[in-house]
Amino acid sequence: MSQGATNKSLSSDAIRVQGVHKSFLGPTNTRTHVLKDINFSVSAGEFLVIRGPNGCGKTTLMNLIGGLDEPTSGTIHIHGQEPREVPVGHLFQDYSGSLLPWMTLGQNAALPLRLKGIGRPERKQALSELTTRTGLNHLPFDRYPYQSSGGQQQKVCLLRAIFASDSLMILDEPFSALDRNSRDRVIEWLQRTRLARFATVLLVAHDLDDAILLADRVLCLDGTPASIRDIVPVDLPWPRGPSIRVEREFLELRSRILDSFGELRR
């Protein structure tokens, strides 16, 4: 495989997670321990993909970093600040529940701009420019959420996350409701975003191939309570098209990540 363009050098840490534990108190006053001794950092402009089995705590970890919850112990800092002090573009796993039903898709997508005090003509222009760049300009922005499909709603949530922050995006399973063609177009746009260092991105991905296509590193979370099994660097050349899936380096990375979960030994 040609080496092509290599990863740009990454600057100082944007996110630092140190000694994080998370547990929840149940109805019978018993504690459920979800995360244990989580330690990692993310460089500014890095694209970190988090992968793990269902129910292992990936969304819990994203909510802690996004400032929606607090760790039971340990610390999280984003550019030296507490997570709740930092604007974050967050695409939730329950994307449909996060849309405001009385707003059109276009109004939902541009809501962060409205909250920043940006006027309607400027919001309309910004939405037009972003949807053209991402290939999402086919969406029926004049419809309401109940009039649209799950895939359309998820794309709107992605646009809203981009508008919410130009420095940190947290995307929790952003491709789950997308068809293959839409997924490939969004992945291609996210690759361009990553190369341009538009934002630091944390992405939870179920599909391992999607993870490798996008990531600078893949963090492997597993166990009960969950801990970090491995953090695998993805030293593949850019750009990464679909054909890379059959290359030896890609398959070797895939095997290493699967082995981190013991999936090759079962």
Side-chain angles (χ1 to χ4, degrees), residues 167-206:
S167 61
L168 175 60
M169 288 195 293
I170 295 177
L171 309 178
D172 196 348
E173 296 282 8
F175 312 128
S176 60
L178 303 186
D179 59 72
R180 185 73 257 179
N181 183 58
S182 296
R183 178 181 300 197
D184 287 344
R185 294 189 70 174
V186 173
I187 287 175
E188 181 183 358
W189 182 83
L190 286 172
Q191 286 183 341
R192 295 198 303 270
T193 295
R194 177 244 169 250
L195 289 170
R197 298 292 179 221
F198 172 76
T200 304
V201 180
L202 300 182
L203 184 147
V204 174
H206 177 74

Side-chain angles (χ1 to χ4, degrees), residues 48-256:
L48 181 74
V49 174
I50 298 176
R51 190 173 184 273
N54 291 337
C56 75
K58 302 184 296 296
T59 295
T60 297
L61 179 58
M62 294 298 92
N63 289 341
L64 296 177
I65 296 172
L68 302 177
D69 198 356
E70 295 183 352
T72 305
S73 61
T75 61
I76 299 173
H77 290 98
I78 301 173
H79 296 297
Q81 297 179 280
E82 298 292 327
R84 291 185 178 180
E85 300 172 351
V86 180
V88 175
H90 203 143
L91 191 157
F92 298 92
Q93 193 172 63
D94 180 18
Y95 55 88
S96 62
S98 70
L99 293 174
L100 300 179
W102 59 87
M103 288 186 173
T104 65
L105 295 183
Q107 291 168 337
N108 269 284
L111 180 60
L113 301 181
R114 180 179 177 181
L115 296 176
K116 294 175 184 177
I118 297 174
R120 183 178 297 177
E122 291 80 8
R123 296 198 303 268
K124 184 177 179 180
Q125 179 65 25
L127 183 61
S128 175
E129 292 175 357
L130 180 58
T131 55
T132 298
R133 295 204 315 269
T134 56
L136 300 180
N137 50 354
H138 62 284
L139 291 172
F141 288 111
D142 57 339
R143 294 183 185 175
Y144 290 89
Y146 75 91
Q147 298 172 314
S148 57
S149 68
Q152 290 169 337
Q153 293 174 12
Q154 193 169 39
K155 292 171 187 175
V156 166
C157 291
L158 176 61
L159 293 169
R160 186 175 61 185
I162 296 166
F163 279 135
S165 174
D166 60 0
S167 61
L168 175 60
M169 288 195 293
I170 295 177
L171 309 178
D172 196 348
E173 296 282 8
F175 312 128
S176 60
L178 303 186
D179 59 72
R180 185 73 257 179
N181 183 58
S182 296
R183 178 181 300 197
D184 287 344
R185 294 189 70 174
V186 173
I187 287 175
E188 181 183 358
W189 182 83
L190 286 172
Q191 286 183 341
R192 295 198 303 270
T193 295
R194 177 244 169 250
L195 289 170
R197 298 292 179 221
F198 172 76
T200 304
V201 180
L202 300 182
L203 184 147
V204 174
H206 177 74
D207 188 286
L208 180 53
D209 287 3
D210 291 346
I212 296 173
L213 283 173
L214 287 167
D216 291 304
R217 293 184 297 159
V218 177
L219 186 152
C220 304
L221 200 64
D222 199 9
T224 307
S227 59
I228 296 174
R229 291 294 179 90
D230 200 0
I231 301 180
V232 182
V234 181
D235 294 322
L236 296 176
W238 295 91
R240 299 171 186 168
S243 62
I244 200 173
R245 290 184 174 96
V246 300
E247 298 285 353
R248 177 177 57 83
E249 292 92 337
F250 186 97
L251 296 174
E252 288 176 350
L253 266 171
R254 200 177 194 282
S255 295
R256 176 180 170 182

Side-chain angles (χ1 to χ4, degrees), residues 41-52:
S41 61
V42 183
S43 298
E46 184 175 8
F47 207 125
L48 181 74
V49 174
I50 298 176
R51 190 173 184 273

